[in-house]
Amino acid sequence: MRFWRASADEPPGTGADAVFVGATRYSGPRAWLRLAPRWTRMVAQMRRLPGYRAHGVYWSPPWSLGTVGFFATREDLLTFARSGEHRELMTWVVGEDRRRATGGYIRLFRAVDPPGAAEDADGVEQDARRTIQEDADAHR
């Protein structure tokens, strides 16, 4: 998997508290060709947004493409998910005729502190302790 980063001096995901993992199984090479300009515009918008840290793209034969995206906060990730270019691409993917894609998934993850990391001297958990959360949404 190749990663693109907001800062070339840091490993992918540095400073990210929210991670997006998703993939779409496209119907074939024609769908990929039509996807390319939309995907390029969407990635350009994503990289300009505050909170973007890095993203990677992976391929699963024969026609599935996946993305892993790192964002500073969950709100930054959701801002991207609700953005115009992303919404336009998702609307195009699922389309009324459903000929462009035959399946896919999306998962959102949030970072967690290791056990005991947010405990005070008496071993009591602080209110600021983060918890893991996974949101799942599948499109068909």
Side-chain angles (χ1 to χ4, degrees):
M1 178 182 317
R2 175 151 160 46
F3 281 96
W4 291 264
R5 302 176 294 232
S7 171
D9 299 336
E10 299 173 344
T14 299
D17 208 31
V19 178
F20 164 92
V21 180
T24 302
R25 184 175 56 233
Y26 293 93
S27 57
R30 180 176 290 174
W32 272 12
L33 288 172
R34 291 185 178 159
L35 166 72
R38 290 171 173 87
W39 187 84
T40 302
R41 286 190 306 268
M42 183 199 67
V43 168
Q45 181 185 36
M46 176 178 66
R47 294 182 77 176
R48 287 190 305 266
L49 291 173
Y52 166 80
R53 295 295 180 254
H55 78 281
V57 178
Y58 62 94
W59 169 65
S60 180
W63 301 112
S64 293
L65 290 175
T67 304
V68 178
F70 299 92
F71 294 85
T73 68
R74 180 178 167 89
E75 287 308 312
D76 292 329
L77 188 156
L78 293 176
T79 296
F80 164 68
R82 296 173 180 137
S83 71
E85 294 295 342
H86 182 259
R87 291 177 70 142
E88 190 273 328
L89 188 137
M90 290 296 102
T91 301
W92 176 83
V93 166
V94 295
E96 290 181 20
D97 56 11
R98 299 189 181 211
R99 292 186 317 199
R100 298 174 186 113
T102 59
Y105 72 93
I106 296 171
R107 300 289 183 269
L108 306 180
F109 298 97
R110 197 170 76 180
V112 297
D113 289 330
E119 294 179 357
D120 63 16
D122 298 324
V124 178
E125 244 179 58
Q126 298 173 4
D127 290 338
R129 182 168 180 187
R130 295 175 289 176
T131 58
I132 192 164
Q133 179 179 353
E134 177 184 335
D135 291 334
D137 184 16
H139 65 274
R140 297 176 196 147

